[in-house]
């Protein structure tokens, strides 16, 4: 525990300005720099001693869990005994799912696509085949699976694998048509090889193609069925090493499946046909059908259909068999969606899917292939979804998926993460959201129920909020590293739908996804929720448990600014501040504006991008729209995207800004308090010495709002130059006491007469913010839509004109000191810009609570300025003892509760305990972080105490002041991939880890920190990756994760009967070890495949550990294995003793029964 005495630091130092001698230090990786102290000029100002309890030992970075649907899936496997499911992806990832809470992610280091997955049934192991022709053996008997062995094929390409039940020999088919055999235990290639030229007839002149199927006969394990792509099927006798029979068909084969008796098998073909073959007559198919083909007259063959990619043939003891296949639809139905067909007897059911089918598996009651399969469900893996169909009901309903597989239902555009939030929120949101769940699911339990999971030590509630491209908001319960959707809010319901024939008149600002969410602001205590959208609007919601029908109140704000590089001074000057006038509540029709012009080429003015519903709207329980605020077109210029958003429930105020200026709105009185350009906020203290200039000439019409994309800055954004106007809906909103005539709007002719202020280029400093830089990163074509939205928080990556635009990038409400040397705190709004300037705006609220609903609020810039390098990202305040101060908030009260409304009530506002008890002459510390550096100021003296230059070669994407172990710290994520943690208030580096390079704009848009050492980001368009920077959570992570493997006894095989055992084949006497072992088959060529010990194997541990620790580790593993074997032996011994006792008892009873009987009495 280190103590910092600010008094000793300041003694003996001379006064200096906060930014005059800031230290500059950064490493080559853009990590933490060096800090420096700047005195306030008066020794002894700070007399308190702040104890910083956090040290570097508290921090460590590690991934915790991944949620969502596996991106770009390629393979599927299921363990019927353990009841766990594995999904492989194109990026080399494997997701293993069990009961809710059992969700494991593992990754191949090579990143090669997963071709196929095979469980070692009930053995706690998994075999994966990847596109780099490597086989991997994964150990699932630990919470984080590890690779035990790898086998790299050098001369052949892997196409298909098959592992028989309870066998240690894996069959591997290759592109050349050969079949190799691998020992699973040692992962060594056997010398036994089935060459393609020996499998086919000698008279065949063409190559049969790659191996597309391998399976042993259910009747005889010594027979192997090999399917080749060109339509050839070979029934291979493993003992005699020859083909017992061969089958030929004209169409290519895609898949094969056995009848459980082993006498018949079914093939699916490229012409949409299914062929059933009998081993006794292999010359032609026993039955040929084209399920979806039109039948032809005169015995002609049915017309061809699309290929049947996979078929499964599953038998039932008490009903007709199930034939399930994907594809096979007729070509004349090109518009039909992908489908899964279920044939049961004479009934044919086609299940249409929303996405293409990647793979499907039928879940059966028994793992034995030679028994009646008794299928009960079908797992269907789609490109963007996972569904399970219930086969036990005639209408084939689907099971309700307990996993969060629909995160990407609409592309995620922004995220928010709240840890340790009020515990009642999760129950409240769930109780509202459960009423809107879909119906019609199967009433049976989810069949993928393997593994074991408990809550662990982490018990505080966590909520994740995701904003989506269709305007929807989803609230997720993220407690205890799980994820479950609680509640869904559709923000688009407040707007009118586009009518056919309107063309682009309504949505021409954003052609695609006009309701996309940009920013989210939520106050969990007051339950006030606010969002901003891509079409330049802000919606404020209040939470209610009661349904209401009401009109939606809306306001329109003119927030446009004229910016030019060439400055031409004019003799006229205008006062720095216009007048202030209250805006009356408005619920009028927005679509009926007299300035709305439909024809192209005519200047648009004072119309919003979207039309708010004017009729009464039914609002169900949950979040209900309180107010809609829209930016409007100004002189043909579209409103610019909103770059910052903040809400104060205690003050009843919402503030938002963009590259043109700042707007402050009272959402209690539905009044616009402030709407002005960034330049006007500086008043006469403009640090950039901007001069008035002449109006621009030859203004061009711009048709379209700047799109939120990852591409370089669009031309429309640079042309967005229109005059500053403080008029909103005909009412003046300038903050002075003079009156203004209402109902007047400036015409285009009047605009040229109005003196406008334009920012000249700074004579001594240029915009150094990364917010003003063009950031263009490689984005794949397939993910363009998911990546087409800019990050909402701080405009570190927003498209802003580099030299002239000064955007509002950060806003923060707090009880603070508005001016230098103030003696009391007051409501303030901190404003940060893209040029690194910080302005403090004073908020004068009515003293009496009753007056809050009638008296106007005065909003005035205080004239206080602070500066940093780079765009400002975040603010926070600490009290005199170093405790983090929370902004005041209003206690939630249901606005639609009739019982409460009948009683007299007052708004209950909770102030920060530290702030509320401050006395005259007290002070607080303000933490400000920009893209380049962090500073700590003492208020009200405005002394810069600490400066920390975080990076010089890169820029910060996300920064948050968070609480960890009851102490505050600053967490930053840099564009070069570094995650940095700094203590507060001294800004000492606690952690600097090169974690994740910025390779995709999605990461920058969705990365967020929260309290208790938690963070998350969208790792793919469909998955959320959670991580922790807490050492304690890293240590306890193993206890929080679920167990993939649980000891389960393998079910016994059914009694085959005497006759079946005698005449059913020779499978029971087949010894694979004798046939494939080195003694009989010899060694395989070393150049054919290379064995690679995995990090989880004994060999890998020897190479990684070594020495005494390595020996101890190996000894511990050996003891664990020995203990497990002894436990299994003890269980078997106990079972044998029980059986022996029962046998002895029955024998004794039988002896007593026949003791006194003669031989002829039997």
């Amino acid at each position: 525990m280190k103590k910092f005495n600010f008094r000793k630091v300041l003694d003996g130092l001379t006064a200096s300005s906060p930014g005059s001698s800031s230290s500059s230090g950064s490493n080559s990786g853009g990590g933490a720099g060096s800090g420096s102290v700047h005195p306030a000029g008066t020794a002894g100002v700070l007399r308190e001693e702040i104890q910083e309890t956090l040290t570097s030992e508290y921090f460590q970075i590690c991934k915790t869990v991944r949620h969502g649907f596996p991106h770009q899936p390629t393979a599927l496997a299921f363990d019927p005994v353990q009841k766990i499911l594995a999904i492989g992806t194109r990026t080399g990832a494997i997701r293993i799912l069990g009961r809710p809470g059992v969700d494991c992610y593992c990754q191949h280091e090579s990143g090669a696509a997963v071709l196929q997955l095979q469980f070692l049934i009930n053995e706690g192991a998994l075999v994966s085949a990847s596109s780099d022709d490597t086989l991997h053996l994964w150990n699932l008997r630990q919470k984080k699976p590890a690779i035990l062995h790898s086998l790299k094929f050098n001369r052949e390409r892997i196409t298909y694998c098959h592992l028989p039940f309870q066998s240690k020999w894996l069959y591997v088919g290759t592109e050349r048509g050969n079949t190799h055999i691998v020992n699973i235990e040692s992962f060594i290639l056997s010398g036994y090889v089935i060459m393609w030229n020996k499998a086919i007839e000698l008279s065949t002149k063409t190559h049969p193609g790659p191996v597309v199927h391998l399976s042993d006969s259910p009747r005889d394990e010594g027979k192997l069925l090999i399917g080749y792509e060109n339509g050839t099927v070979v029934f291979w006798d493993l003992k005699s090493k020859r083909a017992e029979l061969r089958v030929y068909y004209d169409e290519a084969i895609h898949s094969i499946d056995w009848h459980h008796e082993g006498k018949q098998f079914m093939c699916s073909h490229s012409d949409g046909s299914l062929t059933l073959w009998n081993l006794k007559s292999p010359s032609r198919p026993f039955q040929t059908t084209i399920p979806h083909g039109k039948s032809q007259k005169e015995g002609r063959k049915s017309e061809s259909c699309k290929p049947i990619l996979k078929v499964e043939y599953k038998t039932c003891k008490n009903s007709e068999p199930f034939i399930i296949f994907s594809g096979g639809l007729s070509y004349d139905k090109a518009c039909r969606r992908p489908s899964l067909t279920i044939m049961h007897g004479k009934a044919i059911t086609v299940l249409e899917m929303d996405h293409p089918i990647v793979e499907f598996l039928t879940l059966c009651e028994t793992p034995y292939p030679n028994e009646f399969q008794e299928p009960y469900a079908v797992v269907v893996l789609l490109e963007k979804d996972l569904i399970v169909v219930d086969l036990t009901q005639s209408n084939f309903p689907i099971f309700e998926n307990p996993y969060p597989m629909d995160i990407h239902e609409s592309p995620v555009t922004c995220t928010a993460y709240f840890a340790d939030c009020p515990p009642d929120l999760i129950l409240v949101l769930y109780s509202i959201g459960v009423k809107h769940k879909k119906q019609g699911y199967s009433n049976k339990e989810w069949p993928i129920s393997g593994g074991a999971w408990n809550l662990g030590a982490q018990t505080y509630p966590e909520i994740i909020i995701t904003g989506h491209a269709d305007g929807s908001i989803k609230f997720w319960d993220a407690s205890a590293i799980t994820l479950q959707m609680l509640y869904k809010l559709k923000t688009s319901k407040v707007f009118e739908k586009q009518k056919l024939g309107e063309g682009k008149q309504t949505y021409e600002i954003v052609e695609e996804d006009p309701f996309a969410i940009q920013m989210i602001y939520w106050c969990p205590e007051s339950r006030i929720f606010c969002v901003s959208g891509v079409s330049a609007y802000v919606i404020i919601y209040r939470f209610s448990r009661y349904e209401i029908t009401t009109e939606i109140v809306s306001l329109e704000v003119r927030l446009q600014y004229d910016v030019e590089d060439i400055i031409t001074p004019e003799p006229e000057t205008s006062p720095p501040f216009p007048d202030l006038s209250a805006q009356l509540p408005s619920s009028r029709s927005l679509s009926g504006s007299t300035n709305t012009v439909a024809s192209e080429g005519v200047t648009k003015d004072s119309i919003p991008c979207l039309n708010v519903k004017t009729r009464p709207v039914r609002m169900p329980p949950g979040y209900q729209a309180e107010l809609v605020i829209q930016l409007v077109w100004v002189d043909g210029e579209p409103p610019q995207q909103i770059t910052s958003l903040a809400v104060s429930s205690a003050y009843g105020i919402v503030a938002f800004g963009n590259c043109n200026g700042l707007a402050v709105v009272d959402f209690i009185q539905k009044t616009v308090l402030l709407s002005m350009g960034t330049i006007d906020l500086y008043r006469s203290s403009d640090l950039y010495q901007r001069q008035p200039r002449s109006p621009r000439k030859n203004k061009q019409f711009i048709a379209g709002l700047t799109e939120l994309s990852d591409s370089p800055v669009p031309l429309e954004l640079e042309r967005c130059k229109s005059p500053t106007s403080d008029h909103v809906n005909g009412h003046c909103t300038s903050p002075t006491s003079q009156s203004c005539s209402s109902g007047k709007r400036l015409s285009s002719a009047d605009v040229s007469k109005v003196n406008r202020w334009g920012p000249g280029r700074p004579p001594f400093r240029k915009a150094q913010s990364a917010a003003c830089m063009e950031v263009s990163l490689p984005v794949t074509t397939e993910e363009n839509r998911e990546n087409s939205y800019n990050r909402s928080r701080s405009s570190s990556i927003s498209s802003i004109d580099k030299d002239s635009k000064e955007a509002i990038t950060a806003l923060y409400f707090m009880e603070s000191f508005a001016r230098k040397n103030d003696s009391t705190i007051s409501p303030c709004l901190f404003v940060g810009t893209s040029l690194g300037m910080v302005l403090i705006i004073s908020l004068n609220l009515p003293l009496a609570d009753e007056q809050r609903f009638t008296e106007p609020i005065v909003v005035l810039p205080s004239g206080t300025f602070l500066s940093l390098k780079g765009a400002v990202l975040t603010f926070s305040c600490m009290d005199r003892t170093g405790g983090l101060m929370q902004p005041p908030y209003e206690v939630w009260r249901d606005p639609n509760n009739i019982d409460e409304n009948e009683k007299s009530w007052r708004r209950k506002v909770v102030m920060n305990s530290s702030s509320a008890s401050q006395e005259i002459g007290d002070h607080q510390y303000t933490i400000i972080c920009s893209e380049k550096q962090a500073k700590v100021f003492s208020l009200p003296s405005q002394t810069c105490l600490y400066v920390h230059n975080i990076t010089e070669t890169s820029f910060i994407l996300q920064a948050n002041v968070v609480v960890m172990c009851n102490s505050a710290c600053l967490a930053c994520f840099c564009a070069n991939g570094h995650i940095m943690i700094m203590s507060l208030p001294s800004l000492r580096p606690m952690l600097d880890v090169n974690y994740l390079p910025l390779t995709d704009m999605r990461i920058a848009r969705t990365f967020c920190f929260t309290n208790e050492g938690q963070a998350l980001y969208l790792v793919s368009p469909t998955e959320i990756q959670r991580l922790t920077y807490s050492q304690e959570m890293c240590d306890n992570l193993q206890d929080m994760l679920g167990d993939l493997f649980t000891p389960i006894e393998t079910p016994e095989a059914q009694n085959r009967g005497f006759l079946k055992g005698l005449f059913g084949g020779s499978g029971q006497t087949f010894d694979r070890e004798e046939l494939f072992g080195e003694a009989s088959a010899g060694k395989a060529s070393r150049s054919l495949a290379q064995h690679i010990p995995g990090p989880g194997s004994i060999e890998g541990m020897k190479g990684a550990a070594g020495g005494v620790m390595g020996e101890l580790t190996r000894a511990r593993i050996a003891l664990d294995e020995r203990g497990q074997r002894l436990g299994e032996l003890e269980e078997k011994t106990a079972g044998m003793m029980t059986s022996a006792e029962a046998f002895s008892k029955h024998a004794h009873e039988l002896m007593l029964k026949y003791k006194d009987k003669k031989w002829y009495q039997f």
Side-chain angles (χ1 to χ4, degrees), residues 196-208 246 248:
W196 68 270
N197 54 355
K198 294 183 178 179
I200 65 174
E201 288 183 342
L202 297 176
S203 59
T204 305
K205 298 180 180 180
T206 59
H207 191 279
R246 297 179 179 90
Y248 299 97

Side-chain angles (χ1 to χ4, degrees), residues 866-886:
L866 306 172
S867 65
L868 294 85
K869 291 197 303 182
V872 178
L873 301 183
T874 190
F875 299 96
S876 193
C877 289
M878 301 179 72
D879 59 23
R880 53 193 286 183
T881 62
L884 186 64
M885 296 173 59
Q886 300 296 336

Side-chain angles (χ1 to χ4, degrees), residues 4 6 9 36-38 934-936 944-948 985-987:
F4 292 89
F6 289 153
V9 172
S36 63
V37 178
H38 298 277
K935 286 186 177 182
V936 176
C944 181
L945 301 176
Y946 285 94
V947 180
H948 188 82
S986 66
L987 297 177

Side-chain angles (χ1 to χ4, degrees), residues 174-291:
T174 67
E175 193 175 44
R176 292 184 180 180
N178 303 323
T179 302
H180 301 274
I181 302 173
V182 179
N183 188 313
I184 291 297
E185 292 180 350
S186 61
F187 238 58
I188 296 176
L189 206 60
S190 169
Y192 191 108
V193 182
I194 305 174
M195 305 300 291
W196 68 270
N197 54 355
K198 294 183 178 179
I200 65 174
E201 288 183 342
L202 297 176
S203 59
T204 305
K205 298 180 180 180
T206 59
H207 191 279
V211 175
V212 296
H213 178 82
L214 290 169
S215 62
D216 54 339
S217 169
R219 189 181 184 189
D220 188 351
E221 295 177 351
K223 307 291 176 61
L224 183 68
L225 194 69
I226 308 173
Y228 295 95
E229 188 181 58
N230 72 340
T232 302
V233 180
V234 176
F235 195 48
W236 184 264
D237 189 329
L238 294 170
K239 287 184 177 180
S240 62
K241 299 182 181 181
R242 65 179 181 86
E244 186 169 303
L245 61 87
R246 297 179 179 90
V247 166
Y248 299 97
Y249 195 70
D250 297 337
E251 298 293 336
I253 292 177
H254 286 279
S255 68
I256 303 175
D257 200 19
W258 280 100
H259 187 280
H260 82 277
E261 292 180 350
K263 298 177 182 179
Q264 297 175 342
F265 61 88
M266 182 174 288
C267 303
S268 68
H269 301 277
S270 57
D271 63 344
S273 64
L274 296 174
T275 56
L276 185 63
W277 300 82
N278 195 314
L279 296 182
K280 293 183 178 179
S281 55
S283 58
R284 60 186 179 86
F286 175 74
Q287 182 181 350
T288 302
T289 58
I290 302 181

Side-chain angles (χ1 to χ4, degrees), residues 67-110:
H67 303 296
F69 180 77
H71 185 48
Q72 297 178 330
T74 55
L76 185 68
F78 182 72
D79 188 327
V81 178
Q82 289 290 322
K83 295 190 182 302
I84 55 177
L85 187 78
I87 301 174
T89 72
R90 192 178 302 173
T91 58
I94 299 177
R95 285 280 293 280
I96 304 174
L97 305 171
R99 67 177 65 248
V102 179
D103 188 344
C104 179
Y105 167 83
C106 43
Q107 174 74 45
H108 293 91
E109 291 185 1
S110 64

